[in-house]
Amino acid sequence: MNTKNWSTFCIDIEDSIRELWKRNKAYEVHINSNETYFICDFFPYPSAAGLHIGHPLGYISTDIYARYKKMRDFNVLYSMGFDAFGLPAEQYAIQTGQHPEITTNENIKSISNQLKNLSLSHDENRVFSTTDSEYYKWTQWIFLQMYDSFFDHTEVWYDKFNNKIQGKAKNISILRKYLQSQKWIIQNGVPVPNNDFANENNSIPKPSKNEIEKALNEARLAYVANVKVNWCAKLGTVLSNEEVTADGLSERGNYPVTQKSMQQWMLRITKYAFRLINNLQYLNWPENISTMQKNWIGESRGVEITFESEYGAISVFTTRPDTIFGVFFIGLAPEHCIAQKIAKMHNLDLSQLQNSTNLNTKIGIKTGIFVKHVITQQKIEIWIVNYVLHNYGTGAIMGVPAHDTRDFEFAKKYNIECKPVIIPTDKWLLENYEGDAQNVTIEQLHDLWKNDSYQYKTAYTEVGDLYDFAKLNMNNKATINEICDWFNDKGYGKCVIKYKLRDWLFSRQRYWGEPFPIVRCAKTNQIYPVHIDNLPVLLPKQMNFEPEYDVKDPIPPLQRNKDWTHVKGVIQNGAFLLDENGSSFIRETNTMPNWAGSCWYYLRYMDAKNKNEFVNFDTAKYWSGDSYGAVDLYVGGAEHAVLHLLYARFWHMVLFDLGHVPTPEPFQKLLNPGMITANAYRDKRGVYVDVNLVNLKNVDGKEVAYHAKTEEKLEICPGKMGKRYKNGVNPMQICEKYGVDVFRLHMMYMGPLSQTRPWNLKNIVGMERFCNSLWRIFENSYDLLSKNFNENISKSSKNDKHENYDTNDNLQYDFQKMLNDVTLEMENLRFNTAIAFIITFCNKYKILPEKYLLNLLRILAPFIPHFAEYWYMRLRESVIAKHCKYTSILHEKWPKYDISSPQQNVILVVTINGRFKATNKIDKNATDENIIEKARKLALLTSETKYVIVRKEKIIVNFIK
RNA sequence: GCCGUUGUAGCUCAGGGGCAGAGCGCAUCCUUGGUAAGGCUGAGGUCGAGAGUUCAAUUCUCUCCAACGGCACCA
């Protein structure tokens, strides 16, 4: 008996095998005739801290899946990149005083090494960083595509799956033609379709060339605007809505964010609001991420109703037009232009309203100005209130006290009239009556609601029957949608869809990002895109890159570098071309946010070395396959739900509309690996103690922590892993001790992939033992095989419960079942359970004949590739060489489920009242009489008893007593 | 408040209408020339509570309880 085991040799074996694979360029992929599968991880920031334990969780799972898919004959695209622009890299550079390019490159190098040690099967020829000028050249190019496009919402077209798409991005020159031909006209400076286009007699004057160019700027998907922005003084930059938390703090760093007006680049993501929601139905994404995106985009369908007042028309938006006869006031946001007008004329002080941060306390100012109800013509008073948000809907509401909780609270406080129009349920009346509901009848409750609604705690917000449907000329089954249409048809209002989503603020006042490929004429201040021949616009290398903090009007770092900003050139076909003898232009000095580079990197993997295009269309088509989304499997953290995942979808849609990519969406299947949490330890003073200095003891079944040196008892705080908690775990240290294969198994076996889990290194010995026990299976079987051991004998370690099986029959059944189970788990990325099935099988069979030995190795290969390769090489040199067709396990195929093993005998289960009694084998085609006779014997029943026979994969007999 | 997820061994998690599973931990034993380690064997569960459907429910349905996650004056 051999006493060697895997843990003794794994480090050396893994090293040499990794070296072998590297020499053979084992992971390079090329276009071939196989079906494709594209697997992608969210690429990492090359942080100075290197990989933390959370990274490998996702990476190892994608690697296992990639290896598995290759074994299933797919041509698998699997690579890695680095998201190296942006605040974190830059702030680290500022801290260390080193140029971000230097630190970034160093970090990339060290993380690449760490990744290599994990033996991920990435194609290294496709690895890049977003900071490579050859890459950001195309980031700039895509930005210019957006600058050069507008969204034609009138276009109706179909994708390759025949799904209808409303609206399409088109080249801006098309809009120029539309305006020239007056198919579109300019309204308030904005291009809109001309409804009278067919009418030859339309008398709208032709716009001038200047007017057209100005209007085009109002339609471009990338545009400059003077907007109220989220300014974060501590970061010295503006932030997008998505980068600000609900508490008004910066997502990164938790710094306060204030509002400020600035001229900024914006991307018109709002044009895609409908498609961003609608397409979700075609993607296999986790429900919670889809929901978060839907919530963020915030679609509501309703009616826009315009009320006339002496200060001008006031449009309100409502999703509940059924409550139109319950309107008793109009609420305006303090910033609403009519509110401002009224305040000015009547000397009203709105500052208290504007400054109120706590909207739970609703306050308002009575104006004494009235509008006319659109249907009844009754007078309704205008109030200026703090709880109406200026930036949602129209900034004005119709106040329906009886059917909106906010309006109810407000109106009750200011004693505004309240008449309900919807009949509530009895249950609701009982539960919400302020008084003692026991002493009144249901009829009285209904009367009270109708005549004195303020006797109730709150508004009735459910949809329900109206007291008076006749007023709407509708039957009482009318849905909200039908009522919306009714408003539309009668001309009382307009059906509209509103979105919460705002346009994407795309400028940052920082150095470490992609420069905009934009210049301004020094004389006219006119904006021009940089000609493609002059891309990339490189970042200047040597300069002071620190931003200005806490200043009122900050200057972006690039603006201080006059050598870089001032350029000479000429305008050719509307684009700027460098020319020493040309006139003076000034470069745009903002940079793009770090999200820019991550919006399209997955596309670059397909064609990473292409010098002429961001990606070749046919190549993209090959790797995208027939899916709706380009990436078949995309794995990464849920924290990017409304950031990266929303932005990248938007870019992809624009590229799709313009015909640059073949699929409507970027990511078909999305998976979020759970977070890995860990205990942190604090001493009496509340100072965190490094996990390496903590001793854990088991006291009465409870874990107690002590300081390794001072013996002080420590407080255990469960939570996130992080530098400041001194509880970070370095995956490389673990690999050095246990080997990568054991580490990979352990990471996968901790639980389902998407589940947040606590880190616990102790349990890794379980997987170490499993590998050692696998080693013994191979070693012992190999010994016997070398001695011409007979294939027909296998040895079962435990007393076999199915004693009636002959050994080989049993092995075949168990192996096929295991293979079947594991395959199903692999397909669904449930690697923890796949491993569990393998363990259960291996617990039972300690010696295997050659056919099974090889098949087991194939099943193990995606999980523990080094182990598998080592044994594959040994088996190749042995007596069973004839079965090993390839030079490496990496070329082996996944075992096939052997359906050609007809099992004449099936399991018979005997139960009494559903309780298990006995089991045996029986002929699959046995008659009921035969079955019941055998069952009766097994259950030791002599008398006649009622029974049921169920024939499935097993035959079940249930006796009923 | 709205939406969603989860309750199975001491812990972390599988499973699934018809013998309750894995790893760790725990216990017994064996090794003592892999030794602050390795191996064998074993104990452990009313499958969150209650009702319903069924010949049969841990599994399906409903109600409740508990925990977690996301969103939230969005008109």
Side-chain angles (χ1 to χ4, degrees), chain A residues 763-786:
Chain A
N763 293 359
I764 200 171
V765 298
M767 287 303 114
E768 191 183 22
R769 284 177 197 155
F770 174 55
C771 283
N772 287 340
S773 118
L774 279 173
W775 179 277
R776 277 194 302 277
I777 292 176
F778 279 90
E779 194 78 65
N780 294 340
S781 308
Y782 181 84
D783 276 357
L784 291 170
L785 285 171
S786 313

PDB file of all heavy atoms in Angstrom, chain A residues 763-786:
ATOM      1  N   ASN A 763     -12.372  24.775   7.789  1.00  0.00           N
ATOM      2  CA  ASN A 763     -13.038  23.725   7.036  1.00  0.00           C
ATOM      3  C   ASN A 763     -12.261  23.266   5.813  1.00  0.00           C
ATOM      4  O   ASN A 763     -12.622  22.272   5.200  1.00  0.00           O
ATOM      5  CB  ASN A 763     -14.422  24.200   6.610  1.00  0.00           C
ATOM      6  CG  ASN A 763     -15.323  24.370   7.802  1.00  0.00           C
ATOM      7  OD1 ASN A 763     -14.907  24.121   8.927  1.00  0.00           O
ATOM      8  ND2 ASN A 763     -16.548  24.795   7.564  1.00  0.00           N
ATOM      9  N   ILE A 764     -11.210  23.979   5.468  1.00  0.00           N
ATOM     10  CA  ILE A 764     -10.479  23.606   4.260  1.00  0.00           C
ATOM     11  C   ILE A 764      -9.858  22.217   4.407  1.00  0.00           C
ATOM     12  O   ILE A 764      -9.649  21.527   3.415  1.00  0.00           O
ATOM     13  CB  ILE A 764      -9.401  24.656   3.907  1.00  0.00           C
ATOM     14  CG1 ILE A 764      -9.001  24.512   2.429  1.00  0.00           C
ATOM     15  CG2 ILE A 764      -8.193  24.535   4.806  1.00  0.00           C
ATOM     16  CD1 ILE A 764      -8.114  25.629   1.919  1.00  0.00           C
ATOM     17  N   VAL A 765      -9.612  21.777   5.632  1.00  0.00           N
ATOM     18  CA  VAL A 765      -9.000  20.449   5.790  1.00  0.00           C
ATOM     19  C   VAL A 765      -9.931  19.356   5.269  1.00  0.00           C
ATOM     20  O   VAL A 765      -9.473  18.286   4.886  1.00  0.00           O
ATOM     21  CB  VAL A 765      -8.596  20.149   7.250  1.00  0.00           C
ATOM     22  CG1 VAL A 765      -7.563  21.139   7.733  1.00  0.00           C
ATOM     23  CG2 VAL A 765      -9.802  20.140   8.154  1.00  0.00           C
ATOM     24  N   GLY A 766     -11.241  19.647   5.250  1.00  0.00           N
ATOM     25  CA  GLY A 766     -12.173  18.664   4.705  1.00  0.00           C
ATOM     26  C   GLY A 766     -11.851  18.371   3.258  1.00  0.00           C
ATOM     27  O   GLY A 766     -11.806  17.219   2.822  1.00  0.00           O
ATOM     28  N   MET A 767     -11.566  19.434   2.500  1.00  0.00           N
ATOM     29  CA  MET A 767     -11.270  19.261   1.081  1.00  0.00           C
ATOM     30  C   MET A 767      -9.858  18.698   0.883  1.00  0.00           C
ATOM     31  O   MET A 767      -9.602  17.967  -0.071  1.00  0.00           O
ATOM     32  CB  MET A 767     -11.413  20.600   0.353  1.00  0.00           C
ATOM     33  CG  MET A 767     -12.847  21.035   0.196  1.00  0.00           C
ATOM     34  SD  MET A 767     -13.870  19.813  -0.685  1.00  0.00           S
ATOM     35  CE  MET A 767     -14.998  19.310   0.589  1.00  0.00           C
ATOM     36  N   GLU A 768      -8.975  19.035   1.817  1.00  0.00           N
ATOM     37  CA  GLU A 768      -7.633  18.456   1.748  1.00  0.00           C
ATOM     38  C   GLU A 768      -7.731  16.939   1.927  1.00  0.00           C
ATOM     39  O   GLU A 768      -7.128  16.167   1.179  1.00  0.00           O
ATOM     40  CB  GLU A 768      -6.755  19.072   2.838  1.00  0.00           C
ATOM     41  CG  GLU A 768      -5.293  18.724   2.678  1.00  0.00           C
ATOM     42  CD  GLU A 768      -4.445  19.275   3.803  1.00  0.00           C
ATOM     43  OE1 GLU A 768      -4.991  19.560   4.893  1.00  0.00           O
ATOM     44  OE2 GLU A 768      -3.228  19.429   3.594  1.00  0.00           O
ATOM     45  N   ARG A 769      -8.525  16.529   2.905  1.00  0.00           N
ATOM     46  CA  ARG A 769      -8.702  15.092   3.138  1.00  0.00           C
ATOM     47  C   ARG A 769      -9.365  14.429   1.937  1.00  0.00           C
ATOM     48  O   ARG A 769      -9.021  13.308   1.578  1.00  0.00           O
ATOM     49  CB  ARG A 769      -9.564  14.868   4.383  1.00  0.00           C
ATOM     50  CG  ARG A 769      -8.794  15.110   5.644  1.00  0.00           C
ATOM     51  CD  ARG A 769      -9.704  14.950   6.845  1.00  0.00           C
ATOM     52  NE  ARG A 769      -9.088  15.572   7.996  1.00  0.00           N
ATOM     53  CZ  ARG A 769      -9.756  16.038   9.045  1.00  0.00           C
ATOM     54  NH1 ARG A 769     -11.077  15.946   9.074  1.00  0.00           N
ATOM     55  NH2 ARG A 769      -9.130  16.582  10.047  1.00  0.00           N
ATOM     56  N   PHE A 770     -10.316  15.143   1.337  1.00  0.00           N
ATOM     57  CA  PHE A 770     -10.991  14.578   0.172  1.00  0.00           C
ATOM     58  C   PHE A 770      -9.997  14.343  -0.963  1.00  0.00           C
ATOM     59  O   PHE A 770     -10.000  13.286  -1.600  1.00  0.00           O
ATOM     60  CB  PHE A 770     -12.134  15.494  -0.275  1.00  0.00           C
ATOM     61  CG  PHE A 770     -12.788  15.066  -1.558  1.00  0.00           C
ATOM     62  CD1 PHE A 770     -13.304  13.790  -1.688  1.00  0.00           C
ATOM     63  CD2 PHE A 770     -12.881  15.937  -2.635  1.00  0.00           C
ATOM     64  CE1 PHE A 770     -13.911  13.382  -2.875  1.00  0.00           C
ATOM     65  CE2 PHE A 770     -13.476  15.539  -3.821  1.00  0.00           C
ATOM     66  CZ  PHE A 770     -13.992  14.255  -3.938  1.00  0.00           C
ATOM     67  N   CYS A 771      -9.123  15.315  -1.184  1.00  0.00           N
ATOM     68  CA  CYS A 771      -8.111  15.137  -2.231  1.00  0.00           C
ATOM     69  C   CYS A 771      -7.193  13.974  -1.904  1.00  0.00           C
ATOM     70  O   CYS A 771      -6.808  13.203  -2.787  1.00  0.00           O
ATOM     71  CB  CYS A 771      -7.294  16.412  -2.408  1.00  0.00           C
ATOM     72  SG  CYS A 771      -8.173  17.678  -3.329  1.00  0.00           S
ATOM     73  N   ASN A 772      -6.830  13.852  -0.632  1.00  0.00           N
ATOM     74  CA  ASN A 772      -5.983  12.732  -0.236  1.00  0.00           C
ATOM     75  C   ASN A 772      -6.704  11.406  -0.419  1.00  0.00           C
ATOM     76  O   ASN A 772      -6.101  10.415  -0.816  1.00  0.00           O
ATOM     77  CB  ASN A 772      -5.544  12.892   1.217  1.00  0.00           C
ATOM     78  CG  ASN A 772      -4.507  13.979   1.350  1.00  0.00           C
ATOM     79  OD1 ASN A 772      -3.846  14.348   0.365  1.00  0.00           O
ATOM     80  ND2 ASN A 772      -4.376  14.529   2.542  1.00  0.00           N
ATOM     81  N   SER A 773      -7.979  11.412  -0.130  1.00  0.00           N
ATOM     82  CA  SER A 773      -8.712  10.163  -0.287  1.00  0.00           C
ATOM     83  C   SER A 773      -8.883   9.832  -1.772  1.00  0.00           C
ATOM     84  O   SER A 773      -8.837   8.664  -2.164  1.00  0.00           O
ATOM     85  CB  SER A 773     -10.017  10.251   0.498  1.00  0.00           C
ATOM     86  OG  SER A 773     -11.123  10.131  -0.332  1.00  0.00           O
ATOM     87  N   LEU A 774      -9.039  10.880  -2.610  1.00  0.00           N
ATOM     88  CA  LEU A 774      -9.043  10.655  -4.057  1.00  0.00           C
ATOM     89  C   LEU A 774      -7.705  10.062  -4.485  1.00  0.00           C
ATOM     90  O   LEU A 774      -7.637   9.132  -5.290  1.00  0.00           O
ATOM     91  CB  LEU A 774      -9.245  11.980  -4.801  1.00  0.00           C
ATOM     92  CG  LEU A 774     -10.663  12.514  -4.923  1.00  0.00           C
ATOM     93  CD1 LEU A 774     -10.644  13.897  -5.534  1.00  0.00           C
ATOM     94  CD2 LEU A 774     -11.518  11.584  -5.782  1.00  0.00           C
ATOM     95  N   TRP A 775      -6.645  10.630  -3.928  1.00  0.00           N
ATOM     96  CA  TRP A 775      -5.300  10.172  -4.264  1.00  0.00           C
ATOM     97  C   TRP A 775      -5.171   8.678  -3.999  1.00  0.00           C
ATOM     98  O   TRP A 775      -4.657   7.920  -4.807  1.00  0.00           O
ATOM     99  CB  TRP A 775      -4.264  10.962  -3.450  1.00  0.00           C
ATOM    100  CG  TRP A 775      -2.866  10.552  -3.715  1.00  0.00           C
ATOM    101  CD1 TRP A 775      -2.196   9.505  -3.151  1.00  0.00           C
ATOM    102  CD2 TRP A 775      -1.954  11.157  -4.642  1.00  0.00           C
ATOM    103  NE1 TRP A 775      -0.941   9.413  -3.649  1.00  0.00           N
ATOM    104  CE2 TRP A 775      -0.756  10.417  -4.571  1.00  0.00           C
ATOM    105  CE3 TRP A 775      -2.036  12.244  -5.507  1.00  0.00           C
ATOM    106  CZ2 TRP A 775       0.359  10.744  -5.342  1.00  0.00           C
ATOM    107  CZ3 TRP A 775      -0.928  12.565  -6.257  1.00  0.00           C
ATOM    108  CH2 TRP A 775       0.244  11.818  -6.176  1.00  0.00           C
ATOM    109  N   ARG A 776      -5.685   8.262  -2.833  1.00  0.00           N
ATOM    110  CA  ARG A 776      -5.603   6.839  -2.483  1.00  0.00           C
ATOM    111  C   ARG A 776      -6.402   5.982  -3.447  1.00  0.00           C
ATOM    112  O   ARG A 776      -5.968   4.897  -3.829  1.00  0.00           O
ATOM    113  CB  ARG A 776      -6.112   6.616  -1.052  1.00  0.00           C
ATOM    114  CG  ARG A 776      -5.052   6.880   0.002  1.00  0.00           C
ATOM    115  CD  ARG A 776      -5.483   6.320   1.349  1.00  0.00           C
ATOM    116  NE  ARG A 776      -6.760   6.889   1.782  1.00  0.00           N
ATOM    117  CZ  ARG A 776      -6.867   8.063   2.399  1.00  0.00           C
ATOM    118  NH1 ARG A 776      -5.781   8.772   2.645  1.00  0.00           N
ATOM    119  NH2 ARG A 776      -8.031   8.514   2.770  1.00  0.00           N
ATOM    120  N   ILE A 777      -7.593   6.487  -3.859  1.00  0.00           N
ATOM    121  CA  ILE A 777      -8.385   5.728  -4.830  1.00  0.00           C
ATOM    122  C   ILE A 777      -7.550   5.495  -6.087  1.00  0.00           C
ATOM    123  O   ILE A 777      -7.451   4.382  -6.594  1.00  0.00           O
ATOM    124  CB  ILE A 777      -9.690   6.473  -5.187  1.00  0.00           C
ATOM    125  CG1 ILE A 777     -10.628   6.510  -3.990  1.00  0.00           C
ATOM    126  CG2 ILE A 777     -10.372   5.807  -6.388  1.00  0.00           C
ATOM    127  CD1 ILE A 777     -11.898   7.304  -4.219  1.00  0.00           C
ATOM    128  N   PHE A 778      -6.906   6.550  -6.574  1.00  0.00           N
ATOM    129  CA  PHE A 778      -6.135   6.427  -7.810  1.00  0.00           C
ATOM    130  C   PHE A 778      -4.893   5.570  -7.596  1.00  0.00           C
ATOM    131  O   PHE A 778      -4.583   4.691  -8.393  1.00  0.00           O
ATOM    132  CB  PHE A 778      -5.775   7.814  -8.341  1.00  0.00           C
ATOM    133  CG  PHE A 778      -6.914   8.444  -9.096  1.00  0.00           C
ATOM    134  CD1 PHE A 778      -7.842   9.240  -8.441  1.00  0.00           C
ATOM    135  CD2 PHE A 778      -7.097   8.194 -10.447  1.00  0.00           C
ATOM    136  CE1 PHE A 778      -8.910   9.795  -9.128  1.00  0.00           C
ATOM    137  CE2 PHE A 778      -8.163   8.745 -11.140  1.00  0.00           C
ATOM    138  CZ  PHE A 778      -9.073   9.550 -10.481  1.00  0.00           C
ATOM    139  N   GLU A 779      -4.209   5.843  -6.482  1.00  0.00           N
ATOM    140  CA  GLU A 779      -2.966   5.108  -6.215  1.00  0.00           C
ATOM    141  C   GLU A 779      -3.237   3.601  -6.082  1.00  0.00           C
ATOM    142  O   GLU A 779      -2.588   2.779  -6.718  1.00  0.00           O
ATOM    143  CB  GLU A 779      -2.336   5.649  -4.929  1.00  0.00           C
ATOM    144  CG  GLU A 779      -0.903   5.231  -4.698  1.00  0.00           C
ATOM    145  CD  GLU A 779       0.075   6.040  -5.545  1.00  0.00           C
ATOM    146  OE1 GLU A 779       0.189   7.261  -5.324  1.00  0.00           O
ATOM    147  OE2 GLU A 779       0.711   5.433  -6.420  1.00  0.00           O
ATOM    148  N   ASN A 780      -4.251   3.272  -5.283  1.00  0.00           N
ATOM    149  CA  ASN A 780      -4.549   1.861  -5.036  1.00  0.00           C
ATOM    150  C   ASN A 780      -5.075   1.170  -6.285  1.00  0.00           C
ATOM    151  O   ASN A 780      -4.696   0.043  -6.591  1.00  0.00           O
ATOM    152  CB  ASN A 780      -5.546   1.722  -3.887  1.00  0.00           C
ATOM    153  CG  ASN A 780      -4.938   2.190  -2.580  1.00  0.00           C
ATOM    154  OD1 ASN A 780      -3.713   2.260  -2.452  1.00  0.00           O
ATOM    155  ND2 ASN A 780      -5.787   2.536  -1.624  1.00  0.00           N
ATOM    156  N   SER A 781      -5.963   1.855  -6.997  1.00  0.00           N
ATOM    157  CA  SER A 781      -6.492   1.260  -8.224  1.00  0.00           C
ATOM    158  C   SER A 781      -5.378   1.068  -9.240  1.00  0.00           C
ATOM    159  O   SER A 781      -5.290   0.055  -9.923  1.00  0.00           O
ATOM    160  CB  SER A 781      -7.577   2.146  -8.829  1.00  0.00           C
ATOM    161  OG  SER A 781      -8.556   2.455  -7.880  1.00  0.00           O
ATOM    162  N   TYR A 782      -4.514   2.077  -9.310  1.00  0.00           N
ATOM    163  CA  TYR A 782      -3.407   2.047 -10.250  1.00  0.00           C
ATOM    164  C   TYR A 782      -2.485   0.872  -9.953  1.00  0.00           C
ATOM    165  O   TYR A 782      -2.069   0.145 -10.855  1.00  0.00           O
ATOM    166  CB  TYR A 782      -2.646   3.370 -10.151  1.00  0.00           C
ATOM    167  CG  TYR A 782      -1.473   3.511 -11.083  1.00  0.00           C
ATOM    168  CD1 TYR A 782      -1.659   3.936 -12.396  1.00  0.00           C
ATOM    169  CD2 TYR A 782      -0.177   3.243 -10.641  1.00  0.00           C
ATOM    170  CE1 TYR A 782      -0.580   4.086 -13.238  1.00  0.00           C
ATOM    171  CE2 TYR A 782       0.906   3.400 -11.474  1.00  0.00           C
ATOM    172  CZ  TYR A 782       0.705   3.824 -12.786  1.00  0.00           C
ATOM    173  OH  TYR A 782       1.765   3.971 -13.617  1.00  0.00           O
ATOM    174  N   ASP A 783      -2.176   0.659  -8.673  1.00  0.00           N
ATOM    175  CA  ASP A 783      -1.351  -0.480  -8.270  1.00  0.00           C
ATOM    176  C   ASP A 783      -1.939  -1.785  -8.767  1.00  0.00           C
ATOM    177  O   ASP A 783      -1.263  -2.601  -9.364  1.00  0.00           O
ATOM    178  CB  ASP A 783      -1.263  -0.543  -6.736  1.00  0.00           C
ATOM    179  CG  ASP A 783      -0.181   0.374  -6.227  1.00  0.00           C
ATOM    180  OD1 ASP A 783       0.507   0.980  -7.087  1.00  0.00           O
ATOM    181  OD2 ASP A 783      -0.051   0.502  -5.007  1.00  0.00           O
ATOM    182  N   LEU A 784      -3.237  -1.937  -8.500  1.00  0.00           N
ATOM    183  CA  LEU A 784      -3.887  -3.188  -8.879  1.00  0.00           C
ATOM    184  C   LEU A 784      -3.966  -3.343 -10.391  1.00  0.00           C
ATOM    185  O   LEU A 784      -3.796  -4.432 -10.925  1.00  0.00           O
ATOM    186  CB  LEU A 784      -5.274  -3.257  -8.253  1.00  0.00           C
ATOM    187  CG  LEU A 784      -5.239  -3.420  -6.723  1.00  0.00           C
ATOM    188  CD1 LEU A 784      -6.620  -3.231  -6.131  1.00  0.00           C
ATOM    189  CD2 LEU A 784      -4.694  -4.798  -6.364  1.00  0.00           C
ATOM    190  N   LEU A 785      -4.239  -2.218 -11.086  1.00  0.00           N
ATOM    191  CA  LEU A 785      -4.311  -2.274 -12.544  1.00  0.00           C
ATOM    192  C   LEU A 785      -2.981  -2.709 -13.124  1.00  0.00           C
ATOM    193  O   LEU A 785      -2.913  -3.474 -14.084  1.00  0.00           O
ATOM    194  CB  LEU A 785      -4.697  -0.899 -13.112  1.00  0.00           C
ATOM    195  CG  LEU A 785      -6.161  -0.503 -12.945  1.00  0.00           C
ATOM    196  CD1 LEU A 785      -6.351   0.953 -13.343  1.00  0.00           C
ATOM    197  CD2 LEU A 785      -7.054  -1.399 -13.785  1.00  0.00           C
ATOM    198  N   SER A 786      -1.908  -2.192 -12.531  1.00  0.00           N
ATOM    199  CA  SER A 786      -0.581  -2.543 -13.021  1.00  0.00           C
ATOM    200  C   SER A 786      -0.328  -4.038 -12.881  1.00  0.00           C
ATOM    201  O   SER A 786       0.488  -4.604 -13.573  1.00  0.00           O
ATOM    202  CB  SER A 786       0.486  -1.778 -12.245  1.00  0.00           C
ATOM    203  OG  SER A 786       0.123  -0.437 -12.164  1.00  0.00           O
TER     204      SER A 786
END
